[in-house]
């Protein structure tokens, strides 16, 4: 008797869960024809650009650039090019407000510097998942130690 009750309750619960899962995607009404069931994660593209110069405006090559997220976790390490420029790009979930950019001199001639970089929307999203492109800029003038 107990096995019958267990089998029946399993059947009823499985049917109920299955029906609820399928009905959440499409109700069958003609008015709901344009509702799509999609699975995935919305995303956006973020970019930070800038230049590193000395106090006289001369570009500084080979300076360390670290980009950190809001919990101070380093997400990118790179060096400035011959023009003192750097560029960082990241695809992330939408809503990222800022990243921290830290500049340091591996030769220990210039003092380190850092700033929080906020983002401005530069391109609208397309479709359901892509939420757009955002950019920020951070230029630094390093002082000698």
């Amino acid at each position: 008797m107990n096995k019958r009750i267990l089998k029946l309750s399993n059947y009823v619960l499985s049917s109920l869960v299955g029906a609820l899962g399928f009905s959440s995607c499409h109700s069958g009404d003609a008015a709901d024809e344009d509702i799509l069931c999609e699975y995935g994660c919305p995303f956006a593209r973020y970019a930070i650009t800038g230049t590193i110069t000395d106090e006289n405006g001369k570009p500084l090559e080979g300076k360390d650039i670290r980009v950190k997220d809001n919990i101070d976790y380093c997400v990118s390490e790179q060096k400035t090019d011959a023009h003192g420029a750097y560029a960082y790009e990241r695809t992330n979930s939408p809503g990222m407000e800022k990243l921290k950019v830290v500049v340091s001199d591996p030769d220990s001639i210039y003092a380190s510097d850092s700033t929080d970089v906020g983002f401005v929307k530069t391109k609208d999203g397309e479709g359901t998942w892509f939420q757009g492109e955002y950019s920020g800029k951070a230029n630094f003038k390093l002082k000698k130690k």
Side-chain angles (χ1 to χ4, degrees):
M1 179 76 174
N2 287 338
K3 285 186 179 183
R4 275 187 171 176
I5 293 173
L6 186 59
K7 278 186 174 183
L8 180 61
S9 63
N10 282 343
Y11 175 76
V12 169
L13 288 173
S14 296
S15 299
L16 182 61
V17 168
L20 289 174
F22 289 116
S23 68
S24 67
C25 284
H26 183 54
S27 67
D29 295 336
D32 293 335
E33 288 299 320
D34 57 345
I35 295 176
L36 298 174
C37 287
E38 296 186 48
Y39 299 93
C41 184
F43 69 96
R45 290 189 192 101
Y46 296 88
I48 299 174
T49 57
T51 56
I52 312 301
T53 61
D54 66 9
E55 292 177 289
N56 299 320
K58 178 185 170 199
L60 297 175
E61 181 180 6
K63 303 309 171 210
D64 291 333
I65 305 293
R66 288 183 182 83
V67 179
K68 298 181 176 189
D69 64 11
N70 60 352
I71 56 172
D72 212 30
Y73 177 75
C74 187
V75 293
S76 173
E77 292 186 34
Q78 55 184 289
K79 294 193 177 284
T80 56
D81 65 14
H83 305 287
Y86 70 94
Y88 166 79
E89 292 184 12
R90 176 180 184 176
T91 299
N92 201 49
S93 55
M96 190 164 57
E97 294 181 14
K98 63 183 177 178
L99 289 173
K100 182 178 211 133
V101 178
V102 180
V103 181
S104 60
D105 181 11
D107 301 323
S108 297
I109 297 171
Y110 296 92
S112 298
D113 197 1
S114 67
T115 189
D116 289 334
V117 179
F119 296 99
V120 174
K121 191 170 194 174
T122 57
K123 181 179 179 183
D124 288 332
E126 304 164 355
T128 307
W129 298 116
F130 178 54
Q131 300 295 306
E133 294 180 358
Y134 298 80
S135 67
K137 190 167 189 92
N139 296 325
F140 295 88
K141 285 190 179 230
L142 298 185
K143 298 177 183 179
K144 287 193 176 187
K145 287 186 176 182

